[in-house]
Amino acid sequence: MIYLNGEFMPIDQAKISVLDRGFIFGDGVYEVIPVYSRRPFRLAEHLARLQSSLDAISIANPNTNAKWAELVGKIIAGNPWEDQNVYLQITRGVAKRDHAFPKGLTPTVYLMASELVTPSAELMRTGATAIVLPDFRWLRCDIKSTSLLGNCMLRTLAAEADCAEAILVREGEMTEASASNVFVVKNGTVLAPPKSQLILPGITYDVVLEILRGDAIPHEVRPVREAELRSAEEIWVTSSSREVLPITTLDGKPVGKGKPGPVGVKVHALYQQFKARVMRAPAHA
Ligand SMILES: Cc1ncc(COP(=O)(O)O)c(C=O)c1O
């Protein structure tokens, strides 16, 4: 079951106009909210990021957070999986094709869900592969825009090289990956690039930093040079669906010892504990 502009329906009955600016220009923003045991994880943070994305492209938020929570709850209840990705998209709406944002449109609001499948135990044991590519996307990667052509091109280049991710470098510094944030471990210290307009402020990135602080694991939030990425002892990519996934091969060469390193294994375990703790807490705590 999906939600489109006020109605719940099966996905094959959903229709939008060919003049929707989301279709014509990619003029919209989105969120992907992980759901464990039918409870959304970090919903308030996802809705805050949604508000920032909407503000950045001057679309008025069509719903209050209470209304979003209600819609997300109904989508969760209307779909068969215990663990889900709830996808939520807002476009500017329907208008005659013209680049400048028209005023006064009714935004198109769409929600759907899919099964959330986190990395298998086998993948967590071996780690994943990645390649390094130049970050040729635009300069507002902090907006969670549906205009994802650059990310799609980069992920396709990774897939063609039999890699799970493309880790991106701009002017000699690591930014993020095609659909995840990146942490490295260098000389025993975890390094994370600071938030800026060049990366998406990941909700998982924030959780990982909370874990690093909470467990007093040595870490620094500072620019990471390409050379540090290439000589790192450990590399992890983080996202709502990949959680904390070790990268053990970079550009065909082993990262560290070529298997998941101790810091990443520990942070992944702490992430699982964190999730379990939050999900056990009373629903409106
Ligand atoms: C480009 C990019 N960076 C980072 C992330 C990670 O964000 P989150 O942890 O909120 O899933 C994503 C998520 O899809 C992404 O597409």
Side-chain angles (χ1 to χ4, degrees):
M1 187 190 73
I2 65 96
Y3 171 92
L4 180 64
N5 295 335
E7 285 178 64
F8 292 91
M9 63 189 89
I11 195 162
D12 54 5
Q13 287 176 20
K15 303 252 182 315
I16 60 156
S17 165
V18 291
L19 286 178
D20 193 288
R21 287 180 60 96
F23 179 62
I24 296 283
F25 291 119
D27 183 359
V29 297
Y30 75 107
E31 274 299 321
V32 182
I33 303 157
V35 172
Y36 303 105
S37 306
R38 297 196 177 272
R39 290 175 66 170
F41 183 63
R42 296 236 143 179
L43 180 59
E45 288 81 356
H46 281 276
L47 293 178
R49 185 172 65 184
L50 176 68
Q51 185 67 57
S52 306
S53 297
L54 288 167
D55 290 346
I57 65 165
S58 307
I59 295 180
N61 195 333
N63 291 318
T64 61
N65 281 0
K67 179 70 180 174
W68 283 123
E70 182 195 320
L71 292 177
V72 168
K74 285 188 176 160
I75 283 291
I76 295 169
N79 282 284
W81 314 283
E82 290 299 298
D83 294 348
Q84 303 180 14
N85 279 311
V86 172
Y87 176 92
L88 182 168
Q89 169 171 336
I90 301 158
T91 77
R92 196 174 309 275
V94 178
K96 179 171 166 294
R97 186 178 183 278
D98 182 10
H99 287 61
F101 297 159
K103 291 207 170 49
L105 302 185
T106 304
T108 301
V109 179
Y110 176 59
L111 282 86
M112 66 176 171
S114 58
E115 185 175 19
L116 170 56
V117 183
T118 53
S120 65
E122 173 64 10
L123 184 58
M124 290 308 298
R125 202 181 53 72
T126 58
T129 54
I131 52 171
V132 180
L133 290 175
D135 192 345
F136 54 62
R137 301 172 304 162
W138 68 335
L139 299 174
R140 290 305 307 273
C141 297
D142 56 320
I143 303 171
K144 201 163 169 66
S145 162
T146 57
S147 310
L148 286 172
L149 196 51
N151 303 62
C152 293
M153 288 169 73
L154 291 158
R155 176 59 76 80
T156 302
L157 290 170
E160 285 169 356
D162 281 328
C163 286
E165 245 314 7
I167 297 181
L168 309 178
V169 169
R170 201 193 281 267
E171 292 177 357
E173 284 177 8
M174 178 179 91
T175 51
E176 58 178 344
S178 73
S180 45
N181 292 108
V182 188
F183 291 74
V184 307
V185 180
K186 185 76 192 151
N187 301 324
T189 298
V190 183
L191 304 179
K195 287 182 186 171
S196 74
Q197 293 191 342
L198 299 182
I199 69 172
L200 186 81
I203 305 299
T204 319
Y205 167 104
D206 282 340
V207 175
V208 168
L209 282 178
E210 276 176 46
I211 288 171
L212 295 171
R213 278 195 293 272
D215 226 69
I217 297 170
H219 64 281
E220 286 174 32
V221 177
R222 63 149 172 88
V224 178
R225 292 190 307 279
E226 179 175 355
E228 293 176 303
L229 164 70
R230 291 190 182 277
S231 60
E233 294 118 60
E234 297 185 28
I235 301 172
W236 332 317
V237 293
T238 69
S239 77
S240 294
S241 52
R242 283 179 158 168
E243 301 188 330
V244 183
L245 176 66
I247 300 296
T248 46
T249 306
L250 187 69
D251 279 348
K253 298 187 200 76
V255 177
K257 297 194 170 69
K259 56 188 181 67
V263 190
V265 168
K266 181 172 178 184
V267 170
H268 179 261
L270 290 169
Y271 189 84
Q272 299 309 316
Q273 285 173 24
F274 186 99
K275 255 167 54 181
R277 208 167 47 240
V278 172
M279 302 321 283
R280 271 198 308 270
H284 298 289

